[in-house]
Amino acid sequence: MSEQSLGEFEELVLLIVAANNKEAYGVQILKQLEERLDRKLNISGIHVALKRMENKGFVESSYGGITNERGGRRKKFYSITSLGKKVLDRQYELRTSIYQEIPKISFGQ
Amino acid sequence: MKPQPPKRALRFLHWFCREDYLEEFEGDLIELFEEVYEESPRKARRKFFWGVVRCFRPAFIKAFYKVNHSNTTTMFKHNLLITLRNFKRYKGSFLINLTGLSVGLLSALLIYFWVYSELTVDGFHETDQQLYQVMRNSNYGQETRVYYNNSDLLPDALRAEVAEVEYVVPFVEVWSDVYLSFGEKNIKADGRLAGKDFFKVFSYDLIQGDRNNALTGMNSIVLSKQLAASLSADQTVEVGQIVSIPGETEYGTRYAGDYLVTGIFDLSKQNVSEKFDFLLTTELFLSKRSPGNNKWNSNSSRVYITLKEGTDVTQFNDKLDDFFRNKRYADNPDVDPAWGEHMFLQQYSTRYLYNRYENGVLSGGRIDYIILFGAVGLMVLIVACINFMNLSTAQAFRRLKEVGVKKVVGASRRVLAIQHITESVILAGLSSLIAVFAALLLYPKLSLISARDIVIDWNAELFVGIIGIVIITGLIAGSYPAFYISRMRPIQILKGKLKTSLSEVIVRKGLVVFQFCVSLILIITVIVVTRQIDYTQSKNLGYERDNVLTFRSEGQMLDNYETFLSEVKRITGVKNAGLIEGNPINFSNSGGGFPREGQPMVQFTFARVGYDYLETMGIELLEGRSFSREFANEETKIILNETSVKAMGLEDPVGKVYNIRGKKQVIGIMKDFHLQSLHEEIKPSFLIFRPEDVNTVVIKIQAGAERETLTDVEELYRSFNPGLPFEYEFLDQNYEALYQTEQRTASLYRYFAIVAVFISCLGLLGLSAFTVQMRLKEIGIRKVLGSGVWRIIRLLTQDLTRTVIISLLISIPVGYYLSESWLNGFAYSVDLNVSLFAIAGVAIVLMAWSIVALQAFRASRVNPVECLKDE
């Protein structure tokens, strides 16, 4: 089970990877997340999440071509695997199903 | 120009980050850095640093040690297999390497045992750092002489008056044979007399008795374990029993009486320089000595002292000397400080190794032999290592293809190095095992060839030494070839274009030259030593030393010597018999004299003799006559040797009277003969007639009838002294004892020389086999083109001839110098002539040449088809 588990931050990163399919790489993921979450993150956190998920088989990666940017270092692009997609789907289902069970309570002032 | 991220952070990232993550991380960090740099370079740097630091987490750190167990063992197994296969495949090299290294290591270990045992002599005493012997030198003329003995007034005075002294132990040698008896049995024993604190100061193993008062009573005796066991046939003498010194013997008249055994000691397991069988007390000695000896200039006792801790020895030496001179020259206080007798200390445990004084200054001693053998051992070991290295690197050429293929397939240098190190280490390890086992088996035999029992205390220090020797040898011998091989470049190897660099050739040739030099020097010196020993054995000494029997005249024989002599002469095998005082080839008395007014002093050695001494010893008379029964008053006559006549400047002295120990008439002149060893010049010496003071019988026996005659002589001896054992010596043995050190050194030396030469030969054999192997194709082509066998042999040996000649040029002067300095120790020695060096040179050239020529011959017989077909 633990191999299949997905932490909250990982889920967010995975969502970004999936949204930018095949175009996602470290800095880009960092920026999008920072934008959406409206808080500062450290690049190493993104790397930790990516490497973990890669080990679990949720994402896969490949190097892009050499450019003059980034001091000549290649970008490593991430894409979601079918297993990753399945995990995301299950997570989404789980959340929606629970969400829908919320009774219609009126939140009074 | 683009902004550069901080280098230090980058370097740190490179150092720790996993290779497969590195590029991505670096790229991301740099991208961010460049972006932020636009707004603020400082912020960018800070963020970069922080980013790097945050990446420093376990998951991203590379493995610095790649531990992969299954892989290492497989590799090790693989290496082991290859090693074993190679041993099997190249049996010759394997055996040569193994034997060479084992033999070298074995000799080194044996020498190490010997040296270690010598260096630790007497070091075991707990008081070692404080324990000293009081020495004395005297300087009356040009020469300062050092004495080990002191006045017997010294111990009490030191004890009472010198504060720094903790214990004082007088120690007196018994200068004559003593017999001990227990019940019926009479045994000759070697005794000493020692002060009461002896066992407190010296940590000798006292297995029975009390350390503190074993030597307190006047009639106490302490026996060695061996003596206690052999004194009685069926039991061991124990503490509390009574042994006695019988009164019949010469010495017995002084110490005869009953003694109570108060202790048993055992020296057999301790590394001691001096062994003795029993101890009496110096109190006894003092009570028996003649009052005339009770003076400050007498020399009867050795004196050992321990100093209180923290005493400075140099300062104490001055104090001791002042103290002594105040006593010694009490009646003459203004005596010149440079003149006369002085006292100083020598640490007890150093006496064994440093006992030679030249003109009062310590100038070595046994330590010289230890250094010599240490050097020889090191040489042998170095030669063995060189051999191993040469052979292994040479052999590596045969395996070039293996190395090349491996490298091409992707073996790293590390892997190859490990493989070859494994191989070298296994070989060196095997050799070490063989050597250590052999050394442990053989070391007891060392005692046979060294003059002393080898006692080895198996402590950690010794083991560290052994392990050190083995490991260092293994490393030196093993690692060089391994690194050498793994360094080779695969493409060149496979192309077959490998060329050894000039420096490598020089190194290898240099090593061979070095080996040869060591062997040659050893050969030269061995020849010199052997010749000198032969010379001492064969030199005409001026007397006959074969079949001359000597023994002590004591007991009843002392009083009835005339009867004994006349009866001994009646025995059929006896040619002649005479009497002399002490050792017949080492006169026991010496003294200076001014035989003629106004002439310089002459130092004489002399002996008292009875009738027939000259005749029995076969000493030739040049003029005059020997002592004879036909004349009266022989006590007032004297016989001089040639050297005395010369030294005194006499002309035609026979019949004249000179003042030599009283007025004496010269009745004869002896032809010079060698007293003492050939180390010494012939000294002026003379004989005087005092048969009643004489204690040694010399008997010349007919050659071939030794055994029967000996039995008859013994029977006669027993009829005079029924209780005493008949202990005799032959003069030639006695003579050989003078050269004991030289002979033992020579035999030890010869062994190691043989070993070194043997190892060098092995090396040469291996190397030549290799050279031939390497040039096999060349030889094949030459043969195809019509070269003859002899041409090929010459081709292959000319290189070697050059090497040998260079070695000869180096080693002859060195060998000459070393031999010369050794021979300087002899007053009479062989000449170092050209033939000697020629012999050594020719021997080694022949040896080397025959080894190489044999290989070359084999190679020249090879069918060229065999060696050319694989091209």
Side-chain angles (χ1 to χ4, degrees):
Chain A
M1 265 313 277
S2 69
E3 287 124 45
Q4 300 284 313
S5 73
L6 193 61
E8 188 220 11
F9 189 70
E10 284 174 21
E11 190 182 348
L12 286 171
V13 174
L14 188 56
L15 281 166
I16 303 271
V17 169
N20 296 285
N21 198 21
K22 295 195 177 165
E23 293 297 321
Y25 72 97
V27 176
Q28 192 211 17
I29 300 170
L30 173 81
K31 283 193 180 152
Q32 292 195 8
L33 269 179
E34 278 181 343
E35 207 171 287
R36 285 171 198 249
L37 297 177
D38 198 20
R39 64 177 168 107
K40 287 280 164 198
L41 292 172
N42 192 294
I43 185 72
S44 68
I46 309 292
H47 286 144
V48 172
L50 284 172
K51 293 303 167 201
R52 264 195 203 144
M53 290 193 294
E54 197 171 13
N55 281 343
K56 290 174 193 166
F58 300 162
V59 295
E60 52 193 15
S61 63
S62 62
Y63 279 111
I66 299 176
T67 56
N68 267 339
E69 295 159 347
R70 296 162 59 90
R73 273 71 169 180
R74 291 172 297 176
K75 285 176 184 168
K76 198 169 208 180
F77 292 112
Y78 289 85
S79 58
I80 190 161
T81 61
S82 58
L83 176 66
K85 182 69 174 36
K86 226 181 269 171
V87 172
L88 264 190
D89 289 347
R90 212 175 51 216
Q91 200 95 335
Y92 180 71
E93 262 166 44
L94 179 73
R95 302 216 167 151
T96 357
S97 70
I98 298 174
Y99 185 85
Q100 275 161 2
E101 282 170 30
I102 304 173
K104 302 271 182 225
I105 312 164
S106 84
F107 292 89
Q109 259 87 1
Chain B
M1 198 186 138
K2 280 201 165 185
Q4 290 298 311
K7 283 221 173 67
R8 224 177 306 163
L10 265 181
R11 220 180 304 139
F12 178 58
L13 185 72
H14 275 263
W15 177 71
F16 75 78
C17 189
R18 278 174 64 161
E19 286 87 351
D20 49 341
Y21 294 170
L22 185 64
E23 188 169 3
E24 178 190 2
F25 290 7
E26 217 179 1
D28 283 355
L29 284 164
I30 293 173
E31 191 177 331
L32 283 169
F33 172 79
E34 283 170 353
E35 215 165 86
V36 185
Y37 196 82
E38 309 280 297
E39 352 167 346
S40 150
R42 275 184 57 192
K43 192 176 166 197
R45 284 171 176 278
R46 205 175 57 233
K47 280 193 82 166
F48 192 88
F49 262 114
W50 191 230
V52 169
V53 171
R54 289 286 289 269
C55 282
F56 186 70
R57 41 167 62 239
F60 300 159
I61 294 175
K62 67 179 163 197
F64 289 95
Y65 308 99
K66 284 187 186 132
V67 187
N68 190 332
H69 288 284
S70 67
N71 196 16
T72 337
T73 38
T74 355
M75 196 166 86
F76 182 69
K77 266 186 194 160
H78 168 80
N79 285 342
L80 202 65
L81 197 65
I82 288 192
T83 305
L84 292 180
R85 277 182 190 155
N86 276 320
F87 289 166
K88 222 173 136 187
R89 189 151 160 218
Y90 304 111
K91 281 196 197 78
S93 321
F94 169 66
L95 279 179
I96 288 177
N97 259 338
L98 191 71
T99 334
L101 202 55
S102 314
V103 171
L105 207 50
L106 171 64
S107 353
L109 282 178
L110 286 179
I111 291 180
Y112 175 68
F113 283 157
W114 180 74
V115 166
Y116 183 82
S117 153
E118 292 283 292
L119 289 182
T120 52
V121 164
D122 289 339
F124 62 90
H125 299 294
E126 278 162 33
T127 49
D128 184 38
Q129 291 307 312
Q130 276 93 43
L131 181 57
Y132 294 89
Q133 175 163 9
V134 181
M135 310 283 286
R136 186 166 56 101
N137 62 37
S138 68
N139 169 28
Y140 296 108
Q142 303 93 332
E143 196 200 357
T144 306
R145 301 195 69 166
V146 172
Y147 298 93
Y148 294 81
N149 285 351
N150 281 294
S151 163
D152 50 42
L153 295 174
L154 184 67
D156 284 338
L158 279 177
R159 214 175 276 132
E161 296 170 43
V162 183
E164 290 92 334
V165 174
E166 194 171 18
Y167 288 113
V168 183
V169 180
F171 195 72
V172 182
E173 263 174 77
V174 177
W175 287 108
S176 183
D177 301 332
V178 179
Y179 293 87
L180 279 184
S181 66
F182 181 75
E184 295 292 288
K185 224 168 171 189
N186 246 335
I187 284 192
K188 187 160 139 184
D190 184 13
R192 307 277 189 279
L193 302 112
K196 64 176 172 14
D197 295 325
F198 184 77
F199 285 105
K200 276 190 235 167
V201 168
F202 292 91
S203 311
Y204 291 125
D205 206 0
L206 193 69
I207 52 178
Q208 278 185 39
D210 179 7
R211 212 159 253 291
N212 293 321
N213 48 27
L215 284 168
T216 38
M218 192 75 109
N219 67 339
S220 300
I221 188 167
V222 185
L223 304 177
S224 76
K225 195 178 150 197
Q226 287 76 4
L227 184 65
S230 53
L231 262 179
S232 165
D234 46 346
Q235 67 173 104
T236 300
V237 177
E238 284 180 2
V239 167
Q241 284 174 311
I242 303 286
V243 296
S244 55
I245 295 179
E248 305 96 76
T249 61
E250 184 194 352
Y251 208 74
T253 50
R254 202 173 195 189
Y255 290 127
D258 289 344
Y259 293 90
L260 174 70
V261 178
T262 50
I264 308 282
F265 61 84
D266 182 10
L267 303 184
S268 63
K269 289 188 196 69
Q270 289 175 313
N271 204 357
V272 296
S273 56
E274 188 178 5
K275 289 201 171 174
F276 39 85
D277 298 326
F278 68 88
L279 289 172
L280 299 170
T281 69
T282 37
E283 268 176 79
L284 181 74
F285 167 76
L286 294 178
S287 71
K288 302 273 183 182
R289 71 160 170 212
S290 57
N293 282 338
N294 204 348
K295 285 184 298 199
W296 275 98
N297 64 351
S298 71
N299 53 357
S300 50
S301 321
R302 277 189 256 166
V303 178
Y304 303 130
I305 62 173
T306 54
L307 295 179
K308 287 189 180 135
E309 255 173 85
T311 311
D312 183 276
V313 182
T314 2
Q315 279 173 24
F316 182 76
N317 260 335
D318 295 339
K319 188 175 171 181
L320 178 73
D321 189 39
D322 286 344
F323 164 80
F324 168 66
R325 287 175 70 84
N326 285 336
K327 306 272 184 197
R328 171 75 174 84
Y329 300 107
D331 48 352
N332 186 11
D334 302 325
V335 64
D336 177 8
W339 185 84
E341 295 188 330
H342 290 270
M343 222 168 233
F344 62 99
L345 296 182
Q346 181 173 7
Q347 197 183 351
Y348 181 77
S349 54
T350 64
R351 296 167 332 141
Y352 178 71
L353 294 178
Y354 300 89
N355 60 354
R356 196 178 57 229
Y357 284 89
E358 256 163 42
N359 219 357
V361 181
L362 198 57
S363 71
R366 242 185 123 76
I367 189 79
D368 299 340
Y369 283 106
I370 289 168
I371 292 170
L372 172 74
F373 279 114
V376 171
L378 201 64
M379 285 294 162
V380 171
L381 196 57
I382 290 175
V383 167
C385 281
I386 289 177
N387 241 1
F388 189 90
M389 277 153 44
N390 268 346
L391 282 177
S392 307
T393 47
Q395 207 210 337
F397 278 90
R398 286 198 227 172
R399 298 171 56 185
L400 282 181
K401 277 192 185 140
E402 179 195 325
V403 175
V405 169
K406 277 195 169 171
K407 275 208 158 180
V408 167
V409 169
S412 65
R413 186 175 166 186
R414 202 172 66 108
V415 170
L416 283 174
I418 288 174
Q419 187 208 321
H420 285 94
I421 288 177
T422 317
E423 198 167 314
S424 302
V425 165
I426 288 178
L427 234 174
L430 268 179
S431 313
S432 315
L433 269 183
I434 296 175
V436 169
F437 273 113
L440 291 180
L441 278 179
L442 285 178
Y443 93 87
K445 296 262 187 292
L446 269 183
S447 307
L448 293 180
I449 40 175
S450 84
R452 207 177 52 88
D453 285 348
I454 302 284
V455 181
I456 291 177
D457 179 17
W458 294 102
N459 57 14
E461 198 183 292
L462 182 74
F463 279 110
V464 168
I466 297 176
I467 293 167
I469 291 177
V470 168
I471 288 181
I472 290 171
T473 310
L475 277 181
I476 292 175
S479 50
Y480 174 73
F483 287 115
Y484 176 81
I485 293 167
S486 58
R487 205 175 55 209
M488 295 176 177
R489 293 176 183 276
I491 298 173
Q492 286 173 341
I493 297 171
L494 290 180
K495 272 185 178 168
K497 268 188 184 166
L498 194 111
K499 273 201 170 171
T500 40
S501 68
L502 189 64
S503 64
E504 269 167 29
V505 174
I506 290 174
V507 168
R508 185 146 348 123
K509 288 251 165 76
L511 291 178
V512 175
V513 168
F514 177 80
Q515 264 187 334
F516 268 117
C517 285
V518 171
S519 304
L520 263 169
I521 292 169
L522 285 171
I523 291 178
I524 291 172
T525 42
V526 162
I527 294 176
V528 172
V529 171
T530 314
R531 278 205 185 175
Q532 177 64 20
I533 300 270
D534 287 348
Y535 174 78
T536 60
Q537 299 299 316
S538 62
K539 179 159 170 38
N540 185 354
L541 298 166
Y543 61 85
E544 291 181 36
R545 75 188 123 91
D546 294 330
N547 297 313
V548 176
L549 182 72
T550 73
F551 54 89
R552 273 291 151 90
S553 144
E554 53 203 348
Q556 296 296 310
M557 279 168 59
L558 272 182
D559 304 326
N560 305 305
Y561 64 91
E562 275 296 339
T563 339
F564 180 80
L565 283 183
S566 61
E567 275 182 46
V568 118
K569 280 182 193 165
R570 236 174 276 145
I571 296 173
T572 39
V574 172
K575 274 173 143 178
N576 213 333
L579 286 170
I580 187 173
E581 173 191 27
N583 187 336
I585 52 169
N586 195 355
F587 289 177
S588 43
N589 304 303
S590 61
F594 301 90
R596 295 200 303 160
E597 290 293 320
Q599 288 285 317
M601 188 179 81
V602 180
Q603 280 282 349
F604 289 103
T605 64
F606 65 94
R608 302 175 177 92
V609 295
Y611 295 119
D612 295 330
Y613 167 73
L614 290 178
E615 291 77 0
T616 312
M617 294 284 288
I619 296 166
E620 227 179 291
L621 270 175
L622 292 176
E623 278 178 67
R625 62 174 180 87
S626 172
F627 298 118
S628 161
R629 291 177 183 82
E630 292 158 30
F631 296 85
N633 279 337
E634 293 290 77
E635 278 84 352
T636 61
K637 316 278 167 63
I638 188 167
I639 301 177
L640 302 174
N641 72 349
E642 280 176 280
T643 310
S644 316
V645 176
K646 255 179 254 154
M648 296 192 292
L650 306 180
E651 274 170 37
D652 204 13
V654 176
K656 293 179 186 151
V657 173
Y658 297 96
N659 184 13
I660 308 173
R661 295 185 76 78
K663 293 236 178 290
K664 296 260 164 37
Q665 187 194 15
V666 178
I667 56 165
I669 297 169
M670 312 177 271
K671 196 167 175 213
D672 272 344
F673 59 100
H674 285 276
L675 285 165
Q676 302 175 303
S677 70
L678 295 181
H679 285 292
E680 317 277 343
E681 300 263 1
I682 293 179
K683 289 179 186 149
S685 36
F686 60 80
L687 298 173
I688 46 178
F689 186 74
R690 285 288 290 280
E692 56 277 12
D693 282 355
V694 153
N695 57 7
T696 304
V697 181
V698 284
I699 296 178
K700 174 81 180 172
I701 294 174
Q702 217 132 36
E706 293 88 354
R707 192 171 304 168
E708 309 87 80
T709 316
L710 204 54
T711 333
D712 292 344
V713 173
E714 181 168 1
E715 211 169 288
L716 183 66
Y717 178 91
R718 291 229 182 283
S719 69
F720 277 79
N721 289 331
L724 296 179
F726 178 58
E727 298 195 0
Y728 59 88
E729 276 172 341
F730 278 100
L731 201 57
D732 44 0
Q733 294 165 353
N734 198 328
Y735 177 76
E736 271 173 29
L738 293 174
Y739 302 99
Q740 204 192 30
T741 325
E742 278 80 16
Q743 274 184 335
R744 296 219 157 126
T745 314
S747 64
L748 211 59
Y749 198 70
R750 212 170 298 151
Y751 283 120
F752 290 117
I754 291 171
V755 167
V757 172
F758 171 71
I759 295 175
S760 299
C761 285
L762 273 185
L764 201 59
L765 183 69
L767 270 187
S768 59
F770 156 72
T771 327
V772 167
Q773 192 88 22
M774 288 299 286
R775 298 175 76 171
L776 217 51
K777 271 180 195 151
E778 180 193 336
I779 294 168
I781 293 168
R782 279 174 191 270
K783 281 195 81 174
V784 169
L785 294 177
S787 202
V789 171
W790 279 108
R791 278 187 84 98
I792 288 170
I793 294 181
R794 223 177 61 202
L795 173 83
L796 289 169
T797 45
Q798 84 197 147
D799 205 28
L800 174 88
T801 317
R802 222 171 295 145
T803 316
V804 172
I805 287 172
I806 295 173
S807 318
L808 273 172
L809 289 180
I810 298 174
S811 49
I812 286 181
V814 180
Y816 180 83
Y817 170 75
L818 292 176
S819 313
E820 210 20 50
S821 49
W822 185 72
L823 287 178
N824 275 341
F826 290 89
Y828 302 88
S829 63
V830 286
D831 295 324
L832 285 176
N833 50 24
V834 187
S835 73
L836 190 139
F837 297 99
I839 289 174
V842 168
I844 200 129
V845 170
L846 275 183
M847 208 157 56
W849 211 81
S850 58
I851 289 173
V852 177
L854 197 74
Q855 296 286 333
F857 180 70
R858 262 175 51 186
S860 66
R861 298 289 301 266
V862 161
N863 185 348
V865 174
E866 293 293 316
C867 53
L868 292 174
K869 68 181 176 193
D870 63 332
E871 270 308 278

